[in-house]
Amino acid sequence: MLGEILAKRWTETAIPVIVLIIVAFALSRAIDGVFSPAALADAARQAGEIGCVVLGMALVMIVGGIDLSVGSTFALTDFCALYVMHILKWPVAAAVPITLLCGAVLGGINGVLIGYFRLRAFITTLITLIIYRSAYDMLIQRYSTRIAAGFPDSELWDWMGTGDVLGVPTIALVYAVIVIFGFFFMTRMRPGWHITAIGGSRRSAYNSGVAVRRTVAMCYVGCGVLTSIGALFFAARLATVGGDIGVGLEVLVLTAAVLGGISLGGGKGTVSKALVGTLIVLMITNGITTMGLPGGINRMALASILLLSAVIDIRWLKNRHRIVNKVYVSPTYHNVLAAPSTAADCGTPWAINDKLRDVTVIGLGRIEGAEDVILDRDDNLYGGSRHGDIIRFFPPDYERMEVFAHIGGTPLGMAFDRQDNLYVCIGGMGLYRVTPDRKVEKATDETNRSLHSINDDSRLRLADDLDITDDGRIFFSEATVRYEMHEWATDGLEARGNGRIICHDPKTNKTHTVLRNLIFPNGICVAGDGQPIFFAETWGCSVKRYWFDGPKSGKVEIVLENLPGFPDNINNSSDGNYWLSLVGMRSPALDLAWKMPGFRRKMAKRVPRDEWLFPNINTGCVLKFNEQGEVLETLWDLHGINHPMITSMREHRGHLYLGGIMNNRIGRYRIPGADPDFVQYDRRWGRRS
């Protein structure tokens, strides 16, 4: 996990802080008294005023936008505050909310155009910058003289501008409160998570049920309010409406945000980064001013810093996978023995056949990515969808369908408990359940942290498959603790024991890890006697048995090894044996590469990701095995027409239902000689009265 810390945290957090320290040290050596109490107090006032605007810019950047109109918004809200105080002679209690409302309206105009009308943020805010600036210029031509002559008699107003608390300027205290609230808002509250999710992937956030348009619009409203806070204290301190107010402010705050580490691509950024960026930029600009250099030098320095920061940010976004691969991807030696022959004339149960050629297709083009399928006691068929839905098909022909529940994420393994709650593993989210009345509830999204792990691995990254014991405990696999669901192939490249098996007890609501260091654990199935579970290690090409109860408790045994393909889900068959799907077939090239970690490491560093040597998952089969590890039967789709890849299968009333995470259908195969009355959960839980 040390590689992940270095790759993902170093450039995002440490470098801006180091830059801040270097700039502070350089200024202290070049300018006498730059950190004197008076200078620090003045800098704190500027940092508070400009920092609020930087926070607003950071907010819209994290959500995936940009606001070039902050300078004009700052000028207009500065005018609003002075107009209310100097001309209308209203009290501070009225001036403050009116100014904040003005900022909210100006930001809201951008928010509606960008969030709801889906206009481009850059061009939209560039236009509103011009409009707002024009409005400000016309207003100051008419009212600037009256504002300059009408100073209000308000001690509170003067305290806001030049007052302090124990030597700390008022605006600095307000800014500190905003920063603290912003930290908790972005890291501990649901709206903050939504903002980051939208910036990371707007489509994924939408599929997960996030109100994307409203959230984007509200971010621009928040930017306007934060800008008006800075302008409010600026107005109280200087009481000026000069023509240059806010001019070039957008460059300054954008430079501060990017230099602090807020990504131009959206989805990455924190309040602390905005704070660090603000301090760096203010130190640089104040230092240049103190040294008496021309104003053009100041603007040129800001523009150069912004350009350099943008280049670094964009290049990082473009090449971050390659950079991370160099330090994070860590292949290991992985030896798999020769696979058994699957030739048609090999004379073993592995001999390829075309038994799945006549599979009946269900939901063709209406369901995408049904990684697992399951049937309830009323013969209803359920399958997950990559859009975050669980789809239910109704018997007898399974033509009629509906969205049974919307969960978000990608539904993977599924299992019913005794009370007919449907438990679902959701990639990237954890273990969830859907009650019979369709209420979606989180069961767990974390387990106990590994004592030896540098990185916190308590959160679930890729909960994959599950099964439920007779006493209600839920055993489920987490395929990898190092990679996200879409990075499964990178985990296959490593072939390292990154996975684990976890137990969740709904009675106590406690979750703990029972097995670690597994090579992409996948399918889970409780054995017939209820004491062990079978689990598949996909990249290990094996099926193992873990005893969680009984005299062998804690023991792990190999049941099947050196499979010709990559095992996925496991389920019961009506004759007391077990069905196993092979999601893809091994290749000699990958088998050889697994024995050469140095070769794979160089491939990760030097070769584009889409040209890596990946596990083949475009062809699969279904096999039946017994508890002694004997393969009894295999089912193949020789030409891959009806069901080209198989991640799961479920026997129900004489048929085998097939799922595939890359398929746009569910398959149904009639099993010759199978029990037509077999219902898995009736056998386990008993028939309902």
Side-chain angles (χ1 to χ4, degrees):
M1 296 304 173
L2 184 57
E4 183 177 23
I5 299 297
L6 294 174
K8 295 185 177 181
R9 300 299 183 190
W10 175 255
T11 56
E12 297 178 1
T13 304
I15 290 181
V17 174
I18 293 174
V19 172
L20 176 61
I21 295 173
I22 293 174
V23 171
F25 178 77
L27 288 178
S28 67
R29 304 290 292 181
I31 303 174
D32 294 332
V34 70
F35 293 123
S36 65
L40 288 176
D42 185 59
R45 288 189 173 90
Q46 295 181 58
E49 294 162 2
I50 302 302
C52 289
V53 188
V54 175
L55 288 176
M57 179 68 81
L59 186 65
V60 297
M61 289 175 65
I62 293 172
V63 86
I66 195 172
D67 190 352
L68 300 179
S69 68
V70 289
S72 300
T73 301
F74 185 90
L76 275 175
T77 49
D78 169 64
F79 172 84
C80 178
L82 293 176
Y83 180 83
V84 173
M85 291 298 299
H86 287 226
I87 297 179
L88 299 181
K89 303 296 184 181
W90 288 4
V92 175
V96 171
I98 289 174
T99 304
L100 297 182
L101 179 62
C102 177
V105 171
L106 296 175
I109 293 173
N110 288 330
V112 170
L113 294 174
I114 297 168
Y116 287 98
F117 289 91
R118 304 183 69 180
L119 301 182
R120 296 289 185 181
F122 184 90
I123 189 65
T124 301
T125 57
L126 181 61
I127 293 172
T128 54
L129 177 153
I130 299 171
I131 295 173
Y132 294 168
R133 174 58 60 178
S134 300
Y136 174 75
D137 290 340
M138 290 187 291
L139 288 170
I140 62 173
Q141 286 179 3
R142 182 173 182 180
Y143 294 105
S144 59
T145 303
R146 295 175 61 186
I147 289 175
F151 280 92
D153 184 15
S154 172
E155 293 183 0
L156 179 58
W157 184 249
D158 295 337
W159 179 77
M160 287 176 58
T162 59
D164 59 73
V165 177
L166 300 177
V168 181
T170 309
I171 178 58
L173 293 174
V174 173
Y175 179 58
V177 171
I178 295 174
V179 166
I180 293 171
F181 171 78
F183 171 80
F184 285 102
F185 177 81
M186 293 300 297
T187 62
R188 297 295 186 271
M189 299 176 67
R190 193 177 299 273
W193 299 343
H194 289 175
I195 291 169
T196 304
I198 293 170
S201 175
R202 183 168 295 199
R203 172 58 61 183
S204 297
Y206 175 81
N207 290 338
S208 299
V210 177
V212 173
R213 295 186 179 184
R214 183 178 73 239
T215 303
V216 171
M218 292 307 298
C219 284
Y220 282 90
V221 173
C223 180
V225 171
L226 287 167
T227 302
S228 67
I229 293 174
L232 188 67
F233 283 89
F234 177 84
R237 180 167 64 93
L238 296 180
T240 179
V241 286
D244 61 344
I245 299 297
V247 174
L249 183 62
E250 59 278 352
V251 176
L252 188 147
V253 298
L254 186 58
T255 303
V258 176
L259 190 57
I262 311 296
S263 174
L264 287 168
K268 289 185 179 296
T270 63
V271 172
S272 61
K273 293 178 181 180
L275 171 61
V276 172
T278 301
L279 296 177
I280 294 174
V281 167
L282 281 178
M283 284 186 182
I284 293 173
T285 55
N286 288 347
I288 292 175
T289 303
T290 303
M291 289 186 291
L293 298 178
I297 299 295
N298 207 328
R299 291 189 292 271
M300 184 179 295
L302 284 179
S304 301
I305 293 171
L306 176 59
L307 179 61
L308 179 61
S309 301
V311 169
I312 293 174
D313 179 65
I314 293 171
R315 295 296 296 176
W316 164 252
L317 286 175
K318 183 177 180 180
N319 299 293
R320 59 183 175 180
H321 290 301
R322 184 177 297 177
I323 296 171
V324 169
N325 291 339
K326 290 183 178 180
V327 297
Y328 185 47
V329 178
S330 179
T332 187
Y333 179 82
H334 180 44
N335 184 26
V336 287
L337 301 180
S341 173
T342 58
D345 58 354
C346 68
T348 71
W350 286 113
I352 57 174
N353 53 65
D354 214 9
K355 294 181 180 179
L356 298 181
R357 180 184 58 186
D358 298 324
V359 164
T360 302
V361 175
I362 298 173
L364 180 63
R366 296 189 293 164
I367 183 170
E368 297 183 32
E371 196 274 346
D372 194 12
V373 293
I374 195 170
L375 295 99
D376 63 19
R377 308 189 215 212
D378 297 319
D379 301 334
N380 297 308
L381 172 64
Y382 301 80
S385 165
R386 68 179 181 88
H387 300 293
D389 300 323
I390 296 178
I391 307 297
R392 175 163 63 180
F393 293 88
F394 295 95
D397 56 5
Y398 298 108
E399 288 295 324
R400 187 166 62 93
M401 57 171 280
E402 67 173 3
V403 176
F404 176 67
H406 178 77
I407 297 182
T410 302
L412 299 175
M414 298 184 286
F416 282 105
D417 69 3
R418 193 183 298 273
Q419 289 74 39
D420 293 330
N421 295 304
L422 179 59
Y423 280 86
V424 189
C425 287
I426 308 295
M429 295 173 60
L431 178 66
Y432 280 68
R433 62 174 166 264
V434 184
T435 64
D437 58 357
R438 302 189 183 188
K439 182 180 179 181
V440 178
E441 301 172 337
K442 182 180 72 175
T444 184
D445 61 356
E446 61 182 358
T447 182
N448 56 303
R449 177 175 177 174
S450 303
L451 296 178
H452 64 275
S453 176
I454 298 175
N455 192 33
D456 184 2
D457 62 353
S458 61
R459 289 287 178 177
L460 303 179
R461 283 198 170 187
L462 186 49
D464 201 331
D465 193 30
L466 75 154
D467 205 355
I468 303 175
T469 64
D470 293 343
D471 60 6
R473 284 178 291 173
I474 302 169
F475 285 88
F476 64 96
S477 58
E478 185 181 20
T480 175
V481 299
R482 282 170 57 82
Y483 298 101
E484 306 300 335
M485 181 174 174
H486 65 280
E487 298 174 309
W488 59 266
T490 308
D491 191 271
L493 179 75
E494 277 197 354
R496 184 178 291 276
N498 297 327
R500 56 189 174 182
I501 291 178
I502 300 166
C503 177
H504 173 71
D505 191 346
K507 297 176 183 177
T508 62
N509 202 32
K510 292 183 178 180
T511 308
H512 69 281
T513 302
V514 296
L515 285 178
R516 301 183 188 275
N517 304 319
L518 304 178
I519 306 175
F520 209 86
N522 205 323
I524 298 283
C525 182
V526 177
D529 59 4
Q531 290 186 345
I533 58 170
F534 292 103
F535 67 90
E537 286 188 284
T538 300
W539 311 138
C541 303
S542 64
V543 174
K544 297 180 180 179
R545 176 168 38 217
Y546 168 69
W547 296 84
F548 60 87
D549 274 339
K552 295 184 178 180
S553 179
K555 186 176 181 180
V556 177
E557 301 171 339
I558 296 177
V559 179
L560 292 170
E561 59 181 340
N562 300 321
L563 293 169
F566 307 115
D568 205 306
N569 285 5
I570 309 172
N571 281 304
N572 301 95
S573 68
S574 58
D575 57 5
N577 296 308
Y578 304 91
W579 294 107
L580 169 68
S581 63
L582 298 183
V583 68
M585 307 310 294
R586 288 164 52 183
S587 65
L590 184 60
D591 286 357
L592 178 61
W594 270 343
K595 300 176 183 179
M596 304 166 64
F599 165 77
R600 303 197 321 272
R601 187 176 297 108
K602 291 180 181 178
M603 180 171 63
K605 291 181 179 180
R606 302 177 182 179
V607 178
R609 179 181 294 260
D610 58 356
E611 296 181 12
W612 285 2
L613 188 61
F614 285 147
N616 169 26
I617 61 167
N618 61 0
T619 301
C621 81
V622 176
L623 65 94
K624 181 188 289 187
F625 71 94
N626 59 22
E627 295 193 358
Q628 290 72 43
E630 300 171 335
V631 176
L632 307 176
E633 181 183 7
T634 56
L635 308 174
W636 300 80
D637 184 359
L638 188 58
H639 301 287
I641 297 175
N642 279 340
H643 217 73
M645 61 91 66
I646 303 169
T647 54
S648 67
M649 69 280 105
R650 192 83 60 164
E651 183 176 343
H652 185 85
R653 299 194 187 280
H655 290 85
L656 198 62
Y657 294 81
L658 308 173
I661 196 170
M662 293 187 179
N663 292 343
N664 64 346
R665 70 200 77 182
I666 295 174
R668 180 169 62 170
Y669 168 73
R670 178 178 293 279
I671 307 171
D675 182 0
D677 297 321
F678 174 75
V679 177
Q680 180 177 354
Y681 293 99
D682 278 350
R683 174 173 292 185
R684 178 170 295 178
W685 310 127
R687 296 182 183 274
R688 288 182 300 190
S689 58

